[in-house]
Amino acid sequence: MDKIKVEICCGTACYLLGAANLMSIEDEIPAEFRDKVEVEARTCLELCEKENLGGAPYVRFNGEEIMAQATNEKVLARIEELVGGAA
Amino acid sequence: MLNGSTFIRRELMIRIVRAFDDGTLENELDQIPIKLRPKNSVASRCCVYHDRAIFKYRLMALLGVSVEDETDESKSLAAYYAEKAWGGGTNDTKPKTPLSVCGPACSGCPDAKVVSTPNCRGCFARPCVYNCPKKAISIVGGQSVIDQSLCIKCGKCITACPYHAIVKTSVPCEEACPVGAIRKNEYGVAEIDFEKCIFCGKCFAACPFAAVMERSQLVDVLAAMKRGEKLVAMIAPAAEKQFPGKIEQLLTACAKAGFGDVMEVALGAEKTTEHETAEFIERMEKDPKTFMTTSCCPAWVNLVGKHLPDLVDHVSLTPSPMVYAREIVKAKDPNAKTVFIGPCVAKRSEARRKDVDYVLSFEELGAILAGRKIDVIACEPWPVERPANPTARNYAKSCGVTDAVLTEATSKIPGFKLDAKQINGIDRKTCAMVKLYAAGKMPVNFLEVMACPGGCQNGPCSLA
């Protein structure tokens, strides 16, 4: 099974608008999911321009699914759903 | 710290930078409040129209216009923008008072009082009644009731209640202000008394309605860059850990963003250390019983100047790191314009006195970097001639100045002893303590004072 890819946008806009708080996500993933998820901090994904600046910070799952106004809780919940669905 | 207030402030800043770079700012300004709160969207205040009205004031503050100076309510943001002499540069763009209260944003919080909540069980022991020194509490219908005419807000009942049923309500800005400079006026709206205000920025950070606004020089800086002026970014030592990446990478990011040159203010801090240490030794030789206090925190210098006349002669005469940094820049290029970039509100008042051309907060710098798509982490380190001393970079932390002076003094005079104390954050309590010191009860000979707890790194305009 492919790992679930979680890209956190760390462009300056997302960083200012909340991504700074998302940096701890990797440590918060439950132990049983850790080998199934790959978290990556990325430079600007340019979603704040394509989508909407007010939607920052952005997180992207598996290269396509976009989450706006991401928080640790929302991202962790989605990871859990995705891992559950893939299993 | 990120919350709804900082989010909207930063979002508006980034929008301004983007529109400025696209050349559409003048046309877009008046559209921004509507774009952010279209009809039928969810309002943060009573309705979208109230939200839009406050966004307009917020944008005015970001344009550097004092919200309190508004005379014509119908004047558009485009008109304010056009009024500023973007082409010239001869205008005095420095804000006279760095803070202003936006009346329509102020919630007019009810006066602080101690009240009983429905959590009260009307218990048998009634520790609240027994512990109240003013006999202000009685039980009515099985619930504790506090007589406000008797209550002195000592809080004994709050700690005594096993159900946490008694709470103290607060007016956050008044509670945060160390000098009683912010008060509600006859209309119930907060107002700053600038005779008393020390520009520490604590009300600005504390207000949950974001009604205290900082008058910005963001657009002035953008316009100066566009005019082709050479602006030198002077990055405060507090920049460490504000952005992802190292200070040297942040310097490169600033250069990419359009600053003509970049430097660490910590290089200025090295000079402050050298001169302040010499000054301290000299003062001690003249009078071993005297004491000296630091001069690098502008809110502290303002506090002494406005509220502690007995301490004025004890404040170090050594210029702050920012002032020395400006000297370094001007020695290299007398025509360069200086831009101090830091986490501090009070620096805006010091910059005005000391001829530093512009001050940007880390938020405003972040907005410029975000608007121009520069990620600090993706930048190469700036080729600095030499990095600043670690003790100079530590100026942004509480104890940092003390350490720097002690290190410098012991290198000159082996076995040098410094009897130092640090005031780590100015609040009402430490203010009262310092007043005692000023009245002749100074326990040490070196007093370091930082208005922000932990030092500048936790300043009101810090990012982290």
Side-chain angles (χ1 to χ4, degrees):
Chain A
M1 182 191 109
D2 281 347
K3 279 188 180 184
I4 290 168
K5 197 172 163 194
V6 181
E7 294 166 286
I8 300 170
C9 178
C10 292
T12 306
C14 279
Y15 182 82
L16 286 181
L17 299 175
N21 299 334
L22 297 173
M23 297 300 125
S24 58
I25 267 189
E26 214 164 350
D27 307 324
E28 290 173 29
I29 296 173
E32 66 263 36
F33 294 168
R34 274 205 196 138
D35 54 345
K36 294 174 185 152
V37 183
E38 192 187 326
V39 180
E40 204 184 328
R42 292 282 311 270
T43 52
C44 186
L45 298 171
E46 296 187 6
L47 294 166
C48 55
E49 275 191 289
K50 280 184 211 137
E51 306 280 324
N52 163 22
L53 181 60
Y58 284 100
V59 171
R60 191 161 65 188
F61 297 91
N62 291 331
E64 49 190 24
E65 183 189 319
I66 292 160
M67 179 187 280
Q69 291 185 323
T71 60
N72 286 19
E73 295 71 34
K74 275 168 74 178
V75 173
L76 288 170
R78 188 66 191 134
I79 287 174
E80 211 158 314
E81 280 172 21
L82 287 170
V83 173
Chain B
M1 193 187 69
L2 191 75
N3 58 35
S5 314
T6 39
F7 190 97
I8 193 68
R9 194 166 63 228
R10 293 175 190 177
E11 182 180 352
L12 290 175
M13 285 175 187
I14 299 171
R15 282 178 184 271
I16 283 185
V17 176
R18 285 185 179 170
F20 184 90
D21 288 348
D22 292 343
T24 57
L25 184 56
E26 189 167 348
N27 293 331
E28 255 182 67
L29 269 171
D30 290 287
Q31 303 300 318
I32 293 176
I34 300 159
K35 264 192 203 153
L36 286 178
R37 287 290 184 275
K39 64 180 175 190
N40 303 328
S41 61
V42 180
S44 310
R45 295 172 190 269
C46 63
C47 59
V48 292
Y49 308 102
H50 193 183
D51 275 353
R52 287 181 195 171
I54 308 298
F55 289 155
K56 182 184 170 187
Y57 285 121
R58 219 168 275 298
L59 287 163
M60 271 170 69
L62 286 175
L63 289 176
V65 179
S66 172
V67 173
E68 285 155 336
D69 288 348
E70 180 191 50
T71 47
D72 179 6
E73 275 189 76
S74 63
K75 190 165 166 178
S76 66
L77 289 166
Y80 281 112
Y81 178 84
E83 211 167 75
K84 292 202 121 191
W86 301 122
T90 48
N91 262 21
D92 179 15
T93 61
K94 288 175 206 168
K96 288 183 194 80
T97 53
L99 293 172
S100 54
V101 175
C102 172
C106 175
S107 156
C109 305
D111 286 338
K113 58 183 176 187
V114 177
V115 289
S116 173
T117 69
N119 285 347
C120 173
R121 311 261 306 140
C123 67
F124 180 78
R126 296 181 184 173
C128 56
V129 174
Y130 281 89
N131 283 285
C132 177
K134 294 289 169 189
K135 304 271 170 267
I137 306 182
S138 52
I139 307 291
V140 181
Q143 288 269 304
S144 58
V145 175
I146 300 170
D147 183 341
Q148 296 300 332
S149 66
L150 298 174
C151 176
I152 53 164
K153 306 185 191 86
C154 67
K156 288 204 167 103
C157 55
I158 298 175
T159 36
C161 176
Y163 296 105
H164 309 293
I166 301 174
V167 294
K168 189 178 175 190
T169 66
S170 76
V171 182
C173 60
E174 289 181 5
E175 201 169 276
C177 179
V179 292
I182 191 161
R183 284 265 173 272
K184 280 180 283 170
N185 63 18
E186 68 262 43
Y187 307 106
V189 171
E191 211 172 72
I192 297 172
D193 178 351
F194 290 110
E195 299 285 312
K196 287 183 180 171
C197 178
I198 59 169
F199 305 118
C200 63
K202 289 185 196 291
C203 56
F204 165 79
C207 175
F209 284 86
V212 185
M213 296 179 189
E214 210 188 4
R215 226 185 301 170
S216 174
Q217 290 186 300
L218 174 64
V219 183
D220 298 289
V221 167
L222 296 176
M225 280 180 179
K226 201 176 172 187
R227 285 197 298 270
E229 286 174 22
K230 183 182 175 187
L231 300 184
V232 181
M234 308 191 298
I235 306 287
E240 207 186 342
K241 297 197 181 111
Q242 292 284 328
F243 291 91
K246 293 203 155 59
I247 288 209
E248 287 82 0
Q249 287 175 290
L250 183 61
L251 294 174
T252 305
C254 290
K256 278 190 180 174
F259 287 95
D261 201 357
V262 292
M263 76 170 291
E264 279 185 76
V265 172
L267 294 173
E270 292 177 356
K271 297 203 169 191
T272 300
T273 306
E274 189 192 321
H275 291 277
E276 195 156 317
T277 308
E279 183 189 357
F280 178 68
I281 293 170
E282 200 189 310
R283 281 182 187 240
M284 287 300 129
E285 278 170 0
K286 260 192 208 153
D287 177 6
K289 282 189 178 142
T290 191
F291 63 90
M292 189 177 92
T293 169
T294 50
S295 61
C296 43
C297 171
W300 165 237
V301 173
N302 291 342
L303 178 68
V304 173
K306 289 186 179 179
H307 300 274
L308 302 164
D310 295 341
L311 281 185
V312 170
D313 293 338
H314 294 280
V315 176
S316 163
L317 296 169
T318 303
S320 74
M322 174 179 78
V323 174
Y324 280 120
R326 179 192 171 275
E327 275 180 16
I328 295 170
V329 171
K330 290 284 183 184
K332 238 166 123 183
D333 181 355
N335 295 322
K337 292 270 170 79
T338 46
V339 186
F340 176 85
I341 303 172
C344 183
V345 169
K347 269 290 185 238
R348 293 185 195 263
S349 67
E350 190 194 340
R352 197 177 160 77
R353 290 196 299 269
K354 305 288 183 183
D355 232 9
V356 170
D357 298 292
Y358 303 101
V359 174
L360 290 182
S361 66
F362 286 138
E363 282 186 342
E364 290 163 330
L365 173 64
I368 296 177
L369 299 180
R372 299 188 170 167
K373 295 185 203 153
I374 298 161
D375 289 351
V376 179
I377 199 89
C379 291
E380 293 290 318
W382 185 254
V384 287
E385 277 170 38
R386 62 173 184 88
N389 276 334
T391 54
R393 283 189 174 174
N394 267 339
Y395 257 62
K397 295 173 191 154
S398 177
C399 297
V401 185
T402 310
D403 280 346
V405 168
L406 187 59
T407 310
E408 171 84 6
T410 39
S411 78
K412 295 239 162 78
I413 308 168
F416 184 87
K417 279 218 173 79
L418 194 64
D419 194 9
K421 186 175 170 60
Q422 292 83 28
I423 301 286
N424 182 11
I426 295 176
D427 52 30
R428 284 195 205 173
K429 230 181 185 170
T430 50
C431 240
M433 205 156 82
V434 174
K435 273 187 186 149
L436 276 180
Y437 293 170
K441 297 210 163 84
M442 181 61 71
V444 292
N445 59 18
F446 188 87
L447 183 72
E448 176 199 292
V449 184
M450 295 263 195
C452 298
C456 318
Q457 54 184 1
N458 297 321
C461 310
S462 61
L463 291 178

